[in-house]
Structures are given as C-alpha cells and as structure tokens.
Amino acid sequence: MSQHDDKSPFDWDKWPFILPDGDPGEPEEDETWTSSYVRFDELSLRLSAEIGSVSAMSELGRKLLWGEDGYRKDPQEAVKWLGAAAEQGDAEAQADYGYCLQYGVGCKKDIKKAVRMLRASAMQGDDFGMGYYGYCLQKGIGCKKNPEKAVRLYRAAAKNGNNYGLYNYGNCLQYGIGCEKNPRKAVRMYRIAAKQGSSSGQNCYGFCLQHGIGCEKNPEKAVRLFRAAAKQGDASGQNNYGFCLDNGIGCKQNPEKAVRWYRKAAKQGNLTAQNNYAYCLVDGTGCRKNPRKAFKLFRAAAKQGDSSALGNYGRCLQDGIGCKKNLEKAVRLYRAAAKRGNLAAQMNYAFFLQYGICCPMNPERAVRLYRAAAKQGNSDAQFNLASCLERGIGCPQDIDKALFWYRKATEQGNTDAQKALQRLENK
C-alpha cells in the first residue's frame, strides 16, 4: 500500500508527526515538549496501520475511541480505523465499530450494520462482541428479541472474566431475564465485576448489599461501593451514593453532599437523579429552595417516562409548585404514573377518582388502586383503603378488614390511622 493509497482510512498528509531536529535531550521539569509531538509508540502504531496491518488498525482505533494509554480521544478518526479493520474480519474491531454504529459515536447511527458487526464479532468469540450482541438480543435492538440467547452470550463472556458480560449476566440472573431467577449467583457475578473495578458491578453489588438481595444486608459496604462507582463517573452510582447521604443509609447523613452527587448524575441524564435533585429543590434539602427549577427537572424526567417524575410533575401542577395550577393535567399525569406502578401516583389518582375531581367519580376503581398501593406498603393508601372498607365506599363494608389496614398503616407511623384504630377499638 502506498502512502497516498485512496483505500487508506487515514490521510497521511495530515499526520502531525514532525519531530524536532537533533536529540531533544532530557526535558526540564517544566518542559512539555512531548505534548507538541506524536509519541514514538503512537507514530509506530500509526505507521503500521497505514501500511495495512489489521491488528494495528484495530489497536489504534480502540485507543483513539476510548482514550487508552494516554491517547487523545478522537471518535471520528477511531471509526475510520475500526471500520477498516472490522471489514477485514478483526473481531475486536468489529465489536468496537458495532458499538460506534449502535450509539452514533464518531459516525451516524446504523443499527442494522451495528448488529451485523456485533454478530460477526460474537461468532468469533470476542468477549465484548458477545456482550454487545447479547444486549441487542435482550432488548430487541436491530434484531428479534431473544433473551435466552442473550443470556448464553453473557455467560460465555462472563466465564472469560469480561466485566460487561459479568454485569449483564448478573442482571439477568437477578431479574429472571432469559433464565431462572438466581439472586445469589447474580451477586457473585456483580462481586467479581466489582473487584475488577467495574463501576456497573460496584453499583449493582452495592444495591444488593443495601437491600439484602441475594446476600445479607450491609449498608456500610454498599456505601463504599456506591462511592467507588460514583468517583468513576457512573451516573447510577452517583445517584445511589447521593441517596445514601441524603437519608443516612450506611453513613452519616449529609444532605448538602447528597445534592452535589444528585446534580452530577442528573447532568448525565440519570432520570432518578433528576427526580431526586428536583425533590431537594422543592423542600430546600441540602440546597436553596427553587421550585421553578424543580418543576423543570420533574417535567424533563417525566417526558422521558420516569414514573416517579410523572407523579411529582403532577403534584407540582396540582399544588402550583413552580407553575400554575392545572388539576386536569395533574390527573392525567397521575393516571399515567399509576399505570406504571408508581405507589404515590396510584394513591393520588385514586383520591381524585373517589371524589370525582376533574374526572368521572369512580369509587370502585379508587378502591382497587388504594388496595394495589396498600399491598406494596404505602401507609396513606392503607389508611384510605381502611376508610373505604369501614364506610362501604366503592366496596362492601367490612370492619374487620378495615381494622387490619388501619393497623398496617399505624405500624408505619400514620397518625390518622392510629386515631381511627383507637376509635373503632373503643366502640
């Protein structure tokens, strides 16, 4: 291949590789002459890639894509090299090139081509190719959904110690996606990935430790893992670490620090963090009150489908928090969030249905929603359900069941339920 061969993915004449005349000698402590020139190892790699070495193309593309070994990130140039190596059958390049095509990194999105590249990489046994292709199969991205096949690919990558495979295989085991649920085995996968420095593994292992999923609860260790993931820039880790600081879970309560981590995660587009940060802005927890900004954050997260944000957006419209009151729209938002299983929204929507506020009165449906939220532990829903059972609103009167739900709500500290329970028991 000549240096001006049109098939080269890189323009030789644009290489900034001019070296200083003579021996530059040892640089002084304050000298940064090397930053002005391509390093010798990079120059050698570029030369090898230019003369047609597929492995050099693949390696150079990967380093430019991820900024490995001190290389400056350049996604556009990376895609040129990765594409050239991928077309010649390099499995690692196919995985990275497929990733770029899938997410539009350094090139236009091309899902179909991405899947072809990832499948080719996976068939050659590349760990990342198997993981990325598995994810497409799990979610049905550019191909028919096949969670069972996805699990097999994740497992194969995980056996080779690949963090992406470990994390996704663990996730499938935790939730029973394409396989039987096995929380204990999921925790083992997360733990291995966490020990290898995976921020996703650290975050998921921390979540299991916080909630006692597949292991004993250990909130202190969970916090350490969340912090490690957060410091690596993992948005979910930042949100979870902020939540622990906000509520004093496994660490000393620190609302101000919590807000800083919520804000970091929210800037990365984490919907839960946007919702949590907005909630702090409403109450002035760890920051100055700013209801208008909170309203905007709730709305932004709600538009992307976050169920908690949908409910909170509705609450803002109901009470005029950072916006004008709009009960009709609030009801629609509560209904949408309730359909997605949000407990607070189920309770709020049921209240509107019970009294026919901005919607047709439907006490029977209200009771069904109260019961759904009550069974999941919402104390306000438990109180409202008990009240309906006591009075026969939307359901047959049943004092014994009413007492049961008043007691459940009382156990959670609901003072209204406590008063109602005392009133009934003293009759």
Side-chain angles (χ1 to χ4, degrees):
M1 181 186 293
S2 69
Q3 68 182 42
H4 293 289
D5 194 324
D6 290 338
K7 292 182 181 179
S8 169
F10 191 84
D11 186 348
W12 179 286
D13 294 328
K14 293 180 182 178
W15 278 19
F17 72 99
I18 300 173
L19 297 175
D21 292 332
D23 183 1
E26 292 295 325
E28 299 293 335
E29 289 185 4
D30 60 344
E31 283 190 77
T32 56
W33 68 272
T34 52
S35 65
S36 301
Y37 308 99
V38 175
R39 301 177 326 188
F40 289 108
D41 59 335
E42 183 175 347
L43 176 58
S44 176
L45 186 60
R46 285 180 178 277
L47 286 168
S48 296
E50 179 60 31
I51 63 175
S53 169
V54 175
S55 61
M57 291 178 188
S58 177
E59 184 181 352
L60 179 58
R62 185 181 68 253
K63 289 182 176 182
L64 290 167
L65 177 62
W66 304 110
E68 292 179 357
D69 299 330
Y71 279 61
R72 180 177 57 84
K73 283 187 178 182
D74 189 335
Q76 288 75 26
E77 187 189 349
V79 165
K80 293 178 184 179
W81 290 114
L82 291 169
E87 294 296 342
Q88 296 186 62
D90 185 273
E92 290 185 13
Q94 288 169 339
D96 285 331
Y97 186 40
Y99 171 88
C100 292
L101 290 165
Q102 182 179 344
Y103 295 103
V105 179
C107 59
K108 287 185 178 180
K109 283 187 179 182
D110 188 335
I111 301 299
K112 288 186 177 181
K113 189 174 181 180
V115 171
R116 287 201 304 273
M117 286 292 154
L118 296 175
R119 184 189 300 117
S121 177
M123 287 178 69
Q124 294 192 66
D126 182 79
D127 292 337
F128 281 107
M130 290 190 289
Y132 295 156
Y133 182 41
Y135 187 79
C136 291
L137 289 166
Q138 180 187 336
K139 301 292 185 180
I141 299 169
C143 57
K144 189 177 180 180
K145 273 190 177 182
N146 191 334
E148 291 77 17
K149 188 174 181 179
V151 167
R152 292 197 296 272
L153 288 164
Y154 290 149
R155 184 169 56 234
K159 283 182 178 179
N160 294 330
N162 180 271
N163 284 336
Y164 191 81
L166 285 162
Y167 157 71
N168 281 297
Y169 183 35
N171 191 259
C172 290
L173 288 165
Q174 182 179 344
Y175 296 103
I177 300 168
C179 59
E180 289 187 9
K181 277 188 179 182
N182 192 332
R184 288 187 178 278
K185 191 172 182 179
V187 167
R188 291 201 299 273
M189 297 298 112
Y190 293 148
R191 185 167 55 238
I192 294 169
K195 285 182 177 179
Q196 294 179 170
S198 164
S199 61
S200 296
Q202 290 165 344
N203 184 57
C204 289
Y205 184 30
F207 185 84
C208 290
L209 287 165
Q210 180 187 346
H211 297 281
I213 299 170
C215 57
E216 290 186 7
K217 282 188 178 183
N218 190 334
E220 292 77 18
K221 188 173 182 179
V223 168
R224 293 197 295 272
L225 287 160
F226 290 146
R227 182 169 57 238
K231 287 183 176 179
Q232 290 194 66
D234 186 280
S236 295
Q238 290 170 342
N239 174 70
N240 288 334
Y241 184 38
F243 185 82
C244 290
L245 290 164
D246 193 5
N247 296 279
I249 299 170
C251 59
K252 188 176 180 180
Q253 195 168 17
N254 190 331
E256 292 78 14
K257 193 173 181 180
V259 166
R260 292 200 295 273
W261 285 107
Y262 284 151
R263 188 164 52 233
K264 283 177 182 287
K267 284 181 179 179
Q268 293 195 66
N270 185 281
L271 300 183
T272 306
Q274 288 175 354
N275 187 66
N276 289 339
Y277 179 34
Y279 196 81
C280 292
L281 289 165
V282 170
D283 288 348
T285 303
C287 58
R288 289 185 180 181
K289 284 187 178 182
N290 191 334
R292 182 62 183 167
K293 187 174 182 179
F295 172 73
K296 289 179 179 178
L297 284 166
F298 284 139
R299 183 174 59 194
K303 285 181 178 179
Q304 295 181 70
D306 184 82
S307 62
S308 295
L310 279 166
N312 288 329
Y313 180 26
R315 186 60 185 265
C316 288
L317 290 165
Q318 178 185 336
D319 297 335
I321 299 169
C323 60
K324 289 184 178 179
K325 285 187 178 183
N326 188 332
L327 290 179
E328 291 80 5
K329 191 172 182 179
V331 171
R332 292 198 299 273
L333 289 164
Y334 285 147
R335 181 170 61 239
K339 284 182 178 179
R340 296 181 186 212
N342 183 269
L343 301 186
Q346 286 174 345
M347 206 279 294
N348 290 335
Y349 183 42
F351 182 83
F352 279 83
L353 287 167
Q354 181 180 343
Y355 295 100
I357 303 170
C358 295
C359 61
M361 186 181 289
N362 191 335
E364 291 78 16
R365 189 177 180 189
V367 167
R368 290 198 298 272
L369 286 165
Y370 285 145
R371 183 176 288 111
K375 286 180 177 179
Q376 295 182 70
N378 185 291
S379 66
D380 290 329
Q382 289 169 345
F383 169 76
N384 287 342
L385 174 60
S387 181
C388 289
L389 288 163
E390 181 187 355
R391 293 169 173 78
I393 299 171
C395 59
Q397 188 179 38
D398 191 325
I399 301 300
D400 289 336
K401 285 185 178 179
L403 285 167
F404 172 82
W405 286 112
Y406 279 141
R407 289 191 185 101
K408 284 286 186 182
T410 298
E411 288 170 5
Q412 296 194 67
N414 188 299
T415 54
D416 290 330
Q418 186 177 9
K419 291 175 183 177
L421 184 61
Q422 290 173 348
R423 173 174 50 77
L424 282 179
E425 288 180 336
N426 290 334
K427 277 188 176 181

